[in-house]
Amino acid sequence: MVVLAVSIISKSGKVLASRQFVDMSRIRIEGLLAAFPKLVGTGKQHTYVETENVRYVYQPIEALYLLLITNKQSNILEDLDTLRLLSKLVPEYSPSLDEEGVCKAAFQLIFAFDEALSLGNKENITVAQVIQNCEMESQGEKLHKLVMQSKINDTNEVMRRKVTEIEKIKIERNKTENEKSGPKRTPNNFNDMNRDPVFHDIDLLPNKAKEHPSAPSDALKKAPVKGMVLSKEQKKTDQFIKSLEAEGEVILEDTQLSAIQSRSSSSIPPSDPITVTIEEKLNATVKRDGGVSNFYIQGTLALQVLNDVDGFLQLQIEKQDVPGLTFKTHPNINRELFNGQQIVGATDPNRPFPSGQNETHLVRWRIEGLGESFLPLTVNCWPSVHGNTTNVDIDYEASEMFDLQNVVISIPLPELREAPSVKHIDGEWKYDPRKSVLEWSVILIDQSNRSGSMEFSVPAADPSTFFPISVGFSALNTFSSLKVTAVRPLGEGSSKYSQRVRLVTDKYEVV
Amino acid sequence: MDKPSTLLVHFDKGSAAMANEIKADLEGSDVAAKVEAMKRAVMLLLNGETLPTLFITVVRYVLPSEDHTIQKLLLLYLEIIDKRDSAGRVLPEMILICQNLRNNLQHPNEYIRGVTLRFLCRLSEPEVLEPLVPSILENLEHRHHFIRRHALSAISAIYRLPHGDQLIPDAPELVERALASEQDASARRNAFLMLCLCGQERAVAYLFSNAERVTEWPDLLQMAAVDLIRKVCRSPNRADKGRYIKIIISLLSSPSTAVVYECAGALVSLSSAPTAVRAAANTYCELLASQSDNNVRLILLDRLNELRTSHRDVMVDVVMDVLRALASPNLDVKRKVLDLVLDLLTPRNVEEVVLYLKKEVVKTQSGELEKGGEYRQMLVQAIHSCAVEYPEVAGSVVHLLMDFLGDTNVAAAVDVVLFVREIIETNPKLRVSMIQRLSDTFYQIRASRVCSIALWILGEYSLSLAEVESAISTIKQCLGDVPFFTVSDEGETTDSSKPAQQMVNSVTVSSRRPVVLADGTYATQSAATETISTPSVTPGSLSSTLNLRSLILSGDFFLAAVVACTLTKLILRLEEVQPSKLEANKACTGALLVMTSILQLGLSSYLPQPIDNDSYDRIVLCVRLLCNTGDDVRKIWLQSCRQSFAKMLAEKQFRETEEMKAKAQISHAQPDDLIDFYHLKSRRGMSQLELEDEVQDDLKAATGGFTKETDDANRLNRILQLTGFSDPVYAEAFVTVHHYDIVLDVTVINRTKETLQNLCLELATMGDLKLVDRPQNYTLAPESSKQIRANIKVSSTETGVIFGNIVYETSNVMERSVVVLNDIHIDIMDYISPATCADVTFRNMWAEFEWENKVAVNTVIQDEKEFLNHVIKSTNMKCLTPPSALDGECGFLAANLYAKSVFGEDALVNISIEKQADGKLSGYIRIRSKTQGIALSLGDKITLKQKGSS
């Protein structure tokens, strides 16, 4: 009851691939296969040939014969079943059903034969199962790899921490040395507001950092370089991003990246001598079954003055009372002027606002205690399991207050081999296999599409894998509706200015 | 036995130089390149290269790879490399792979584990397996069934190795425990198979403890159970056979047809009790009815045929069930069914069978069946043989069959008319009604050949006055008015019924190539036979009732001669039975008129082809005879004809019985065969030896493990000396020809006092031969000898030549020395065996085959028959022409010979010789075959041997 061999030969008798399941000498199998083409008659309606000792059960596939060699006692019903299965496997693996194709796929075919007939015994197996067995995608292995990876990450983390600690110690030591030996570096107050202290440390110790060849310090070193280069050498950045994109990295050239990047990459070199930027950042954590926590808005008013001459100015602003809104002004700003006349001006009129490429943050504000109804965009996600697939329905609803731009809703997915099948979508989708995140993007949400939905399905997965969903968008008006109405130069500077107002998401998640 | 081969992959551009490329790729880090390199390495190994240095590269660079494809290819690589040295010890470096295999067995990927376990099943080195055993056993507990399945197979394979029971002493217990808790069908099957092979009593215990639930088992497991039962019943302890049979019977109702089929087979081998055999036969019949696949049906019929030979009495009862398979549209199936049924006829069931066949014949008339004509022919033949064996049924069918005389399928009509001819001779009771019927239906007959036979029957068997008169009038009616053409017709051909079209017809006829007559000679006149196969009469004339007239007008003068002869015979008989002389004379003149008209037609220019001489002579003879009758002639015409026909029938029957006897002779027991006494067997099924032989031998034969030892005396005859006695190296070969391969056992002897290094036997082949392995290099000590074996594959019947050199180096001469070997000729006769085929098939093949080799006879033998026998003997063929046809001394001889090669090729030979006046033989031997090889080689052989001096 054992199949002796499975073979594929061309009609002319060339043996293309053959797998034997029973010990037999090479000369014997080659002899059997060589004899076969001569035994096959034409015009017969049955597809087996018996010789004195063996039975061939075959199936012609275009220019090929797929044949089983069995002994004559073998069970023909089983053998035909097997042959039927195998004949479905051949086109699965062979790119074309001719000599060339089979030669190319000979080894895959042999592996598949092994699965379909384990050691010559028939297996109750389907084509899909054979393919699955041959692909060898194992959940166990993935898990194992993940565990290994996380262990490596943990170790790396520990290492990195150690390195920073060591470096901090070194900085401390250096600082004390600097204090002793050289003049202290005068920190620019305004500029310091923008800068991350860690980067300072690195800037201060470029040589020392280089001396550390370890991975974490390299990583640290690279990050600021990227941040600096981006704004200055746009060309290079573009190339870099493009190549990153080609590698499957998602690059959003908009504001909802990390704080550092948004600051640096989004600031287009201003052409007007005076630029006012009003930006609000939205933070919210929405629970999947309703309710919102951590919902607050952070706003900044930033000024950028290109020439020193224009530095002497005051800004006339217009603000509205919004419940829960509190302002904080820069210590150098005249608070009375601000509260009373809604004018932003320096306390010391002889001291100009700093000029140059950097923005100077003049006012900060914060809105807290907002209700759920104030959310510009709410997202609902409904995963449901049907058999071995999970269907996920997601919809959004935007409030009337804002017209939202560049809306991106990122849904984490379980690890998949292929993209999920999206059945219906308002907008566009993109699947990042590396992070296994499905991104649903809508360029603009306005009056026409205040609500939208998407539906997709993936192989069965725990509903919790689809959370947290992070949402990113931007809008052109703000919660506080703070506006600069005029710029009043105190000296002979120009009053021409440009104003940019926007609302962006900082961290908006549905958990 | 040679090393087993486990896979073959086509590969044609191999060279040893690739080894370096492969090595470089393997050492690199590119996964895709590595995969390709592994593939190429495996292919090179399969191609016969040894690549000894590659192993270490593989161990260093491939073993650690994470890629799944590479790991799988690695396992294939390990599968095919030589794991033992020439002395049979395991190579020490093999231990290097152990660690990797063990890692694989603990790999988190279940598929890696599975394929590794599967690989271990093919591994037979205990040294390598031993350290892996604990890991294998661990896998028995794994939650994934894919792993458990293969772990069970691996344990089974290891336990069955020589000394395998020491590697896993408690394997049967482990497996039994695993089986008890296992859920996966395939894993259970593997476990059960393992128990069957290694711990039969445990398997039996498991089977019995689950006897009630066997029907619920998955089909894979049921198959294994049936297998076990077969095997167990071989052992002498058969007290509990009833229990096994019970299980089998319950399994007969399994939903899986494969299991049912297997059960039926097992049942027959378990018991020869009629009930069991009947159950098996019924099962087969049910499957026959339910399975639509032709392959299955044909094989089921084979099984039933086997049952027939051993249990004919039981099979007789299921005849009607078998007949139902005639409903299959496939002709092969139908043919097999009919063959089977015809062997199962008894006086009791013959009526029923014939009735069924009759119904089938009627069904073919509706014409919706594809190939209805061919099927009808088969049915007619079947009914024919029924009637021959049981003449009493003939009466019920013959009239029905006679309706088919006018069948458009000429072959079927010919069969019918032959059948009628035989029945009318052997069954005198039916004569009157059949003649009556024949006269009535004669006008329907369209084919010339059928016409001539029907005419012969009419002439021969119309005895009474009324019959003779009606026969004469029928013929005359069919001929129509004489003369056949008028003078005015001759003038303007366009006006007549068969003008230009007939021209075309005859032109095509004469342009055909020569036709072979039944005795193998070429027909020089095509008109006589062509119309047999081409009833290409103009459609208009077919519809007319004057079938004879239209045939004769189409130029069939052979038929015309038959008409003349028949008329003559009828007139002669009429003169005997007609009291009125006047009437007889009247009829006689009428017949003469017909004959002269035919002659006139033949000689006129009305037909493009004039009458041939043979027919002319015959008709003239008839005319003369009627004008001038004598008693001698009368006797010849009226009696001798019939007698010779009766003699022919008798001889045919005689030959058939002879053949039967000869067949019976063959199946007699050999001197040392085991004899089973039927009465002592007490219906216990086949003996143990028989059973064991059946299953084991079948597998062994299939894998080629069978080598019949021929007696030594014969062996010595086939030794070939390859070098001279004074050569530094003496070699002789012993050539064994198996079916598809030739094995050369070459003995090489070093005749010098020096050590010969790198001695290599280089072989080259001509013809359809292929060297399988590359011979290795050897070092030969002074005056020592070495046996070298070379395998050569043969793929068609053709004379092949093997050339060779022996190349070697000695320590003092730097360059290699060469000894050229004698050629080894492989004789075509080793591949040819005598065979028989039907006359018709022979002629079809003769017409179809493309290669003809014509050899002029040139021999010293003076006697035709002696020459024929000489050719038969020297070519190992069978003479198809019956000996009676070769009787007599007429100076001519024509005979057909036939043989089949082991590759299934046909070889046809026709010998036509004539004895010249000077006593020498002249003529030609023609060989035809589908392939050039046979025609050429056989021709060479005959040219060589025909001289006959040997």
Side-chain angles (χ1 to χ4, degrees):
Chain A
M1 282 205 288
V2 170
V3 174
L4 306 184
V6 181
S7 315
I8 299 181
I9 67 175
S10 67
K11 286 244 159 108
S12 57
K14 207 189 273 177
V15 180
L16 302 177
S18 169
R19 181 71 167 154
Q20 289 83 259
F21 299 105
V22 171
D23 281 354
M24 63 201 317
S25 67
R26 169 135 186 185
I27 190 154
R28 174 75 187 168
I29 178 71
E30 287 196 334
L32 287 174
L33 292 175
F36 173 72
K38 302 205 175 66
L39 295 171
V40 179
T42 48
K44 284 195 199 134
Q45 288 178 348
H46 56 88
T47 54
Y48 79 98
V49 186
E50 278 188 356
T51 67
E52 200 187 333
N53 295 326
V54 295
R55 178 192 296 155
Y56 304 89
V57 188
Y58 63 94
Q59 179 160 352
I61 306 178
E62 293 185 12
L64 310 167
Y65 283 119
L66 169 69
L67 65 146
L68 294 182
I69 302 177
T70 67
N71 57 352
K72 284 167 81 176
Q73 295 270 317
S74 176
N75 191 323
I76 181 74
L77 291 155
E78 266 199 344
D79 295 338
L80 284 172
D81 259 1
T82 312
L83 188 67
R84 235 166 275 145
L85 170 70
L86 294 178
S87 66
K88 276 183 236 156
L89 282 175
V90 174
E92 284 291 334
Y93 286 96
S94 177
S96 60
L97 292 172
D98 51 14
E99 272 182 40
E100 206 186 332
V102 170
C103 283
K104 230 181 250 169
F107 284 95
Q108 278 93 313
L109 283 169
I110 283 175
F111 293 146
F113 291 165
D114 265 349
E115 297 299 338
L117 280 163
S118 79
L119 303 164
N121 291 317
K122 186 191 172 226
E123 292 278 1
N124 278 347
I125 199 168
T126 62
V127 175
Q129 280 168 324
V130 170
I131 291 171
Q132 193 191 350
N133 285 357
C134 285
E135 273 174 2
M136 308 180 80
E137 285 294 336
S138 154
Q139 213 62 40
E141 188 183 25
K142 265 184 193 158
L143 213 68
H144 178 79
K145 275 190 178 157
L146 276 181
V147 170
M148 288 304 284
Q149 191 58 47
S150 70
K151 272 184 191 163
I152 291 170
N153 287 350
D154 285 351
T155 325
N156 279 349
E157 194 58 42
V158 170
M159 198 158 72
R160 196 175 304 163
R161 224 180 295 136
K162 281 270 155 63
V163 169
T164 9
E165 267 170 34
I166 292 167
E167 279 174 358
K168 262 185 188 156
I169 294 166
K170 278 182 185 161
I171 292 162
E172 291 302 319
R173 207 183 299 146
N174 268 15
K175 263 186 184 166
T176 46
E177 275 169 22
N178 281 351
E179 270 167 23
K180 279 174 201 164
S181 56
K184 203 178 160 187
R185 184 172 174 266
T186 44
N188 184 331
N189 276 350
F190 286 111
N191 283 353
D192 272 359
M193 279 179 85
N194 297 335
R195 289 201 153 185
D196 198 306
V198 181
F199 299 157
H200 265 299
D201 294 340
I202 302 297
D203 284 352
L204 283 172
L205 289 167
N207 297 332
K208 287 274 156 71
K210 262 180 206 162
E211 278 164 23
H212 284 277
S214 60
S217 72
D218 271 353
L220 278 178
K221 213 173 69 194
K222 261 178 202 157
V225 167
K226 205 202 273 174
M228 313 272 264
V229 167
L230 279 174
S231 56
K232 286 177 184 165
E233 297 177 35
Q234 199 69 31
K235 252 190 198 168
K236 250 189 195 171
T237 322
D238 282 349
Q239 270 177 0
F240 184 62
I241 285 172
K242 261 178 208 161
S243 67
L244 271 182
E245 254 171 341
E247 285 159 21
E249 198 76 50
V250 178
I251 308 293
L252 284 178
E253 291 183 81
D254 224 298
T255 45
Q256 54 270 30
L257 278 179
S258 71
I260 310 159
Q261 272 185 338
S262 74
R263 233 178 275 160
S264 41
S265 64
S266 62
S267 56
I268 304 146
S271 50
D272 284 308
I274 299 159
T275 312
V276 179
T277 310
I278 296 165
E279 192 178 67
E280 279 188 356
K281 281 186 188 153
L282 185 144
N283 280 282
T285 308
V286 183
K287 298 198 179 91
R288 69 185 85 154
D289 36 14
V292 63
S293 63
N294 272 338
F295 183 19
Y296 61 92
I297 314 287
Q298 273 183 313
T300 50
L301 187 149
L303 175 73
Q304 184 182 16
V305 180
L306 283 184
N307 307 317
D308 287 341
V309 201
D310 301 329
F312 298 94
L313 52 80
Q314 283 184 329
L315 303 174
Q316 176 66 53
I317 58 167
E318 185 187 66
K319 58 179 181 186
Q320 283 168 1
D321 257 343
V322 178
L325 173 69
T326 49
F327 285 99
K328 268 185 194 156
T329 51
H330 196 271
N332 291 353
I333 296 292
N334 190 333
R335 195 169 298 231
E336 284 163 26
L337 228 74
F338 177 77
N339 284 338
Q341 301 172 24
Q342 304 194 339
I343 286 173
V344 181
T347 4
D348 180 359
N350 297 326
R351 201 165 152 195
F353 284 108
S355 60
Q357 286 291 346
N358 292 328
E359 288 180 343
T360 315
H361 287 216
L362 303 179
V363 186
R364 283 179 178 170
W365 65 94
R366 190 176 166 88
I367 310 174
E368 268 178 335
L370 291 168
E372 209 178 340
S373 54
F374 283 91
L375 281 175
L377 187 74
T378 52
V379 175
N380 280 312
C381 176
W382 305 93
S384 56
V385 182
H386 294 289
N388 49 4
T389 54
T390 301
N391 289 328
V392 185
D393 289 288
I394 296 192
D395 58 13
Y396 68 80
E397 218 160 300
S399 77
E400 300 279 330
M401 295 185 287
F402 300 97
D403 286 351
L404 304 176
Q405 295 173 335
N406 296 323
V407 181
V408 177
I409 300 169
S410 311
I411 306 120
L413 297 183
E415 296 219 328
L416 299 172
R417 270 186 290 111
E418 52 209 348
S421 60
V422 177
K423 289 169 189 160
H424 158 82
I425 189 162
D426 297 325
E428 284 160 6
W429 64 278
K430 189 169 154 195
Y431 174 64
D432 181 359
R434 198 93 70 80
K435 296 184 200 146
S436 36
V437 166
L438 178 72
E439 287 183 350
W440 175 19
S441 51
V442 184
I443 302 290
L444 177 68
I445 295 181
D446 59 14
Q447 223 44 50
S448 65
N449 54 347
R450 285 287 174 215
S451 65
S453 64
M454 169 168 85
E455 190 183 345
F456 66 90
S457 64
V458 293
D462 189 345
S464 64
T465 45
F466 302 99
F467 296 97
I469 297 169
S470 65
V471 183
F473 54 82
S474 61
L476 290 178
N477 39 356
T478 58
F479 276 91
S480 60
S481 309
L482 186 100
K483 268 184 201 128
V484 174
T485 48
V487 171
R488 297 189 189 134
L490 296 176
E492 32 182 75
S494 88
S495 64
K496 253 182 95 182
Y497 74 104
S498 68
Q499 177 173 230
R500 284 195 287 157
V501 180
R502 67 178 168 185
L503 169 75
V504 297
T505 48
D506 188 13
K507 190 183 172 210
Y508 184 178
E509 278 183 337
V510 182
V511 294
Chain B
M1 169 134 174
D2 302 319
K3 198 166 74 96
S5 131
T6 58
L7 78 159
L8 298 176
V9 174
H10 177 66
F11 186 57
D12 45 7
K13 40 197 181 290
S15 69
M18 277 172 69
N20 290 330
E21 275 174 52
I22 293 175
K23 218 164 161 179
D25 278 345
L26 288 182
E27 285 171 12
S29 59
D30 182 5
V31 171
K34 238 179 191 174
V35 168
E36 282 310 308
M38 268 320 271
K39 282 185 184 170
R40 264 179 297 155
V42 170
M43 290 198 263
L44 274 182
L45 279 171
L46 288 175
N47 223 28
E49 309 280 347
T50 48
L51 307 176
T53 54
L54 201 65
F55 184 75
I56 291 304
T57 317
V58 168
V59 168
R60 283 182 59 197
Y61 295 98
V62 182
L63 283 195
S65 169
E66 276 283 302
D67 188 78
H68 299 154
T69 316
I70 292 182
Q71 283 296 335
K72 275 166 111 175
L73 286 167
L74 175 69
L75 292 177
L76 279 187
Y77 170 80
L78 293 175
E79 202 174 288
I80 57 175
I81 51 168
D82 281 320
K83 289 174 277 289
R84 293 172 185 271
D85 61 12
S86 50
R89 284 183 305 264
V90 173
L91 293 170
E93 58 262 35
M94 282 306 141
I95 226 69
L96 291 174
I97 60 173
C98 269
Q99 182 58 37
N100 179 59
L101 290 177
R102 204 167 58 198
N103 287 347
N104 274 356
L105 288 178
Q106 291 158 352
H107 202 277
N109 187 324
E110 60 266 27
Y111 299 107
I112 291 275
R113 285 200 197 195
V115 293
T116 311
L117 286 164
R118 191 154 55 202
F119 160 72
L120 293 181
C121 297
R122 293 184 185 251
L123 202 62
S124 58
E125 282 68 26
E127 290 84 345
V128 182
L129 287 170
E130 200 178 354
L132 302 175
V133 166
S135 313
I136 297 172
L137 295 182
E138 265 170 42
N139 278 323
L140 270 184
E141 309 285 319
H142 197 273
R143 67 186 163 73
H144 204 287
H145 56 80
F146 189 77
I147 297 178
R148 291 198 306 272
R149 260 181 226 172
H150 290 105
L152 287 163
S153 305
I155 290 172
S156 169
I158 294 170
Y159 193 76
R160 274 179 292 148
L161 287 178
H163 308 301
D165 48 345
Q166 286 161 21
L167 286 175
I168 319 176
D170 55 346
E173 285 93 358
L174 284 174
V175 173
E176 194 181 19
R177 237 176 293 142
L179 177 60
S181 57
E182 183 59 65
Q183 292 302 318
D184 179 63
S186 188
R188 278 171 84 182
R189 192 262 317 265
N190 287 353
F192 194 76
L193 278 181
M194 144 75 195
L195 286 185
C196 294
L197 292 168
C198 310
Q200 218 176 59
E201 62 293 345
R202 284 173 204 274
V204 171
Y206 182 77
L207 179 64
F208 281 145
S209 65
N210 289 290
E212 278 76 46
R213 265 165 288 146
V214 166
T215 43
E216 297 152 27
W217 281 4
D219 55 343
L220 291 178
L221 199 54
Q222 287 179 343
M223 291 293 276
V226 176
D227 213 28
L228 171 77
I229 291 172
R230 275 190 164 183
K231 210 186 294 170
V232 169
C233 290
R234 253 178 259 159
S235 63
N237 167 31
R238 301 230 191 100
D240 48 357
K241 208 159 92 178
R243 298 176 72 180
Y244 294 116
I245 292 185
K246 226 184 200 168
I247 294 175
I248 293 274
I249 300 276
S250 67
L251 281 179
L252 275 179
S253 57
S254 162
S256 155
T257 46
V259 174
V260 173
Y261 172 84
E262 204 64 35
C263 282
L267 208 51
V268 176
S269 62
L270 270 180
S271 161
S272 57
T275 333
V277 176
R278 192 169 299 129
N282 282 332
T283 310
Y284 284 140
C285 287
E286 272 162 34
L287 286 175
L288 196 59
S290 64
Q291 294 293 308
S292 56
D293 191 296
N294 292 331
N295 300 313
V296 176
R297 281 188 167 159
L298 288 172
I299 284 173
L300 281 168
L301 287 168
D302 282 348
R303 289 291 95 78
L304 285 169
N305 211 7
E306 281 167 19
L307 280 185
R308 180 189 62 79
T309 50
S310 53
H311 305 282
R312 189 167 185 273
D313 44 338
V314 177
M315 281 299 292
V316 165
D317 298 342
V318 295
V319 140
M320 292 318 287
D321 295 320
V322 176
L323 263 183
R324 250 162 239 135
L326 282 180
S328 156
N330 185 302
L331 280 183
D332 290 329
V333 174
K334 287 179 169 169
R335 189 168 296 129
K336 234 173 188 169
V337 169
L338 288 175
D339 284 351
L340 180 61
V341 167
L342 289 183
D343 279 337
L344 288 172
L345 291 180
T346 62
R348 250 185 303 158
N349 64 16
V350 69
E351 287 283 339
E352 219 178 337
V353 169
V354 169
L355 209 68
Y356 194 94
L357 294 180
K358 216 165 122 184
K359 265 188 224 155
E360 283 291 311
V361 173
V362 175
K363 254 190 240 168
T364 59
Q365 270 175 310
S366 60
E368 61 212 30
L369 282 166
E370 216 180 311
K371 292 188 180 163
E374 228 174 297
Y375 179 41
R376 196 176 311 146
Q377 191 187 349
M378 274 161 51
L379 286 170
V380 169
Q381 277 167 352
I383 294 175
H384 187 161
S385 43
C386 285
V388 169
E389 215 170 324
Y390 300 97
E392 62 270 25
V393 298
S396 63
V397 282
V398 76
H399 294 297
L400 173 78
L401 288 183
M402 280 169 84
D403 289 342
F404 292 105
L405 283 175
D407 198 329
T408 43
N409 181 339
V410 179
V414 169
D415 276 331
V416 171
V417 79
L418 287 176
F419 173 60
V420 170
R421 191 177 70 177
E422 203 172 323
I423 294 301
I424 206 167
E425 169 64 28
T426 53
N427 224 345
K429 271 181 279 174
L430 292 171
R431 186 190 62 86
V432 178
S433 60
M434 283 169 76
I435 283 292
Q436 175 68 37
R437 180 100 186 187
L438 189 59
S439 303
D440 292 348
T441 52
F442 186 78
Y443 72 93
Q444 295 172 344
I445 301 174
R446 294 287 164 244
S448 151
R449 185 145 176 237
V450 183
C451 261
S452 53
I453 299 173
L455 282 170
W456 187 86
I457 296 170
L458 280 179
E460 203 61 56
Y461 294 96
S462 301
L463 298 180
S464 71
L465 176 62
E467 285 162 5
V468 172
E469 280 182 335
S470 85
I472 291 175
S473 69
T474 307
I475 294 173
K476 282 198 173 156
Q477 212 172 9
C478 289
L479 283 172
D481 295 335
V482 281
F484 289 101
F485 71 105
T486 54
V487 184
S488 65
D489 277 348
E490 204 172 354
E492 35 181 318
T493 43
T494 44
D495 162 72
S496 74
S497 59
K498 28 217 111 264
Q501 196 172 3
Q502 207 45 57
M503 299 273 277
V504 177
N505 237 345
S506 51
V507 167
T508 52
V509 163
S510 51
S511 68
R512 289 277 187 87
R513 52 178 178 175
V515 172
V516 202
L517 295 178
D519 58 357
T521 49
Y522 279 81
T524 42
Q525 278 292 345
S526 59
T529 45
E530 266 315 300
T531 36
I532 297 171
S533 51
T534 53
S536 58
V537 197
T538 41
S541 63
L542 260 182
S543 57
S544 79
T545 52
L546 308 177
N547 54 344
L548 282 180
R549 187 190 182 91
S550 54
L551 281 170
I552 289 172
L553 280 174
S554 70
D556 189 350
F557 286 109
F558 179 74
L559 182 67
V562 173
V563 170
C565 289
T566 310
L567 282 174
T568 311
K569 220 184 268 180
L570 286 169
I571 298 297
L572 288 177
R573 186 144 291 147
L574 188 70
E575 283 173 359
E576 275 182 358
V577 292
Q578 173 64 271
S580 148
K581 198 89 178 152
L582 185 71
E583 286 298 311
N585 280 340
K586 212 170 160 189
C588 182
T589 46
L592 282 172
L593 178 62
V594 169
M595 290 180 216
T596 44
S597 319
I598 294 172
L599 285 178
Q600 200 182 0
L601 174 73
L603 294 175
S604 76
S605 57
Y606 175 65
L607 288 182
Q609 225 167 10
I611 188 165
D612 56 300
N613 291 340
D614 272 355
S615 306
Y616 181 79
D617 285 352
R618 252 177 111 188
I619 298 173
V620 168
L621 182 75
C622 290
V623 173
R624 282 221 187 103
L625 193 71
L626 283 183
C627 299
N628 185 12
T629 52
D631 276 351
D632 293 353
V633 186
R634 200 179 285 269
K635 193 181 160 213
I636 291 174
W637 278 73
L638 293 184
Q639 284 166 28
S640 303
C641 263
R642 179 99 74 89
Q643 275 163 9
S644 66
F645 177 60
K647 204 174 149 202
M648 189 189 102
L649 283 184
E651 198 196 282
K652 195 174 134 201
Q653 217 141 26
F654 175 72
R655 248 191 303 150
E656 272 164 15
T657 46
E658 279 294 296
E659 255 167 52
M660 292 269 278
K661 271 188 202 160
K663 258 185 210 159
Q665 210 98 48
I666 292 166
S667 62
H668 280 329
Q670 293 294 314
D672 49 356
D673 261 2
L674 185 83
I675 301 176
D676 278 315
F677 286 95
Y678 179 74
H679 301 282
L680 299 182
K681 247 166 115 183
S682 71
R683 299 182 177 263
R684 274 216 192 121
M686 288 186 238
S687 73
Q688 185 188 347
L689 270 167
E690 269 178 287
L691 257 175
E692 223 157 303
D693 285 354
E694 192 189 32
V695 180
Q696 297 291 329
D697 289 1
D698 195 41
L699 194 63
K700 246 193 195 165
T703 53
F706 249 16
T707 40
K708 281 185 216 134
E709 286 305 319
T710 44
D711 50 322
D712 288 340
N714 256 340
R715 279 172 71 100
L716 290 177
N717 284 340
R718 308 196 67 168
I719 283 186
L720 279 170
Q721 186 184 340
L722 297 177
T723 64
F725 290 115
S726 51
D727 281 319
V729 177
Y730 173 75
E732 59 180 26
F734 167 66
V735 185
T736 323
V737 179
H738 295 301
H739 269 182
Y740 309 113
D741 50 76
I742 300 168
V743 180
L744 293 182
D745 283 304
V746 184
T747 311
V748 183
I749 303 172
N750 181 358
R751 312 259 297 168
T752 60
K753 300 263 186 246
E754 290 170 86
T755 302
L756 305 182
Q757 287 163 339
N758 288 334
L759 180 131
C760 183
L761 177 71
E762 291 175 345
L763 293 173
T765 56
M766 198 184 82
D768 225 337
L769 303 174
K770 203 184 130 205
L771 205 59
V772 177
D773 327 294
R774 249 159 238 274
Q776 285 171 303
N777 287 349
Y778 300 96
T779 303
L780 214 56
E783 297 190 332
S784 67
S785 69
K786 178 98 199 156
Q787 291 275 351
I788 301 174
R789 175 174 272 217
N791 283 325
I792 289 158
K793 199 173 82 181
V794 191
S795 48
S796 80
T797 315
E798 193 174 324
T799 306
V801 187
I802 305 169
F803 310 97
N805 293 323
I806 288 181
V807 186
Y808 60 89
E809 288 166 6
T810 48
S811 47
N812 45 8
V813 187
M814 282 319 285
E815 52 192 55
R816 311 198 82 187
S817 317
V818 178
V819 181
V820 180
L821 304 179
N822 251 346
D823 304 344
I824 304 169
H825 288 265
I826 304 299
D827 193 351
I828 182 180
M829 288 310 123
D830 290 322
Y831 296 107
I832 284 187
S833 54
T836 46
C837 71
D839 230 18
V840 186
T841 13
F842 185 90
R843 296 179 64 175
N844 285 346
M845 284 194 281
W846 187 269
E848 188 183 298
F849 287 174
E850 288 171 359
W851 293 97
E852 180 178 286
N853 192 357
K854 189 167 161 187
V855 180
V857 171
N858 175 20
T859 178
V860 296
I861 299 173
Q862 302 266 330
D863 182 52
E864 309 97 273
K865 242 171 278 166
E866 194 189 327
F867 179 71
L868 174 67
N869 289 336
H870 175 70
V871 172
I872 291 173
K873 202 174 149 225
S874 54
T875 54
N876 202 15
M877 298 182 92
K878 186 178 166 73
C879 183
L880 293 181
T881 314
S884 60
L886 300 170
D887 268 354
E889 298 285 338
C890 61
F892 291 97
L893 186 142
N896 290 337
L897 310 185
Y898 180 67
K900 232 177 162 125
S901 79
V902 290
F903 309 103
E905 298 154 311
D906 306 287
L908 314 178
V909 170
N910 172 258
I911 302 180
S912 307
I913 41 177
E914 183 184 3
K915 197 160 186 160
Q916 301 292 81
D918 56 358
K920 280 194 170 173
L921 295 179
S922 73
Y924 290 102
I925 301 175
R926 290 183 180 79
I927 304 145
R928 285 202 179 177
S929 71
K930 205 186 255 175
T931 54
Q932 189 187 19
I934 289 190
L936 282 181
S937 312
L938 207 56
D940 292 348
K941 185 85 189 172
I942 289 173
T943 317
L944 203 72
K945 291 272 179 111
Q946 68 165 335
K947 289 266 195 248
S949 49
S950 59

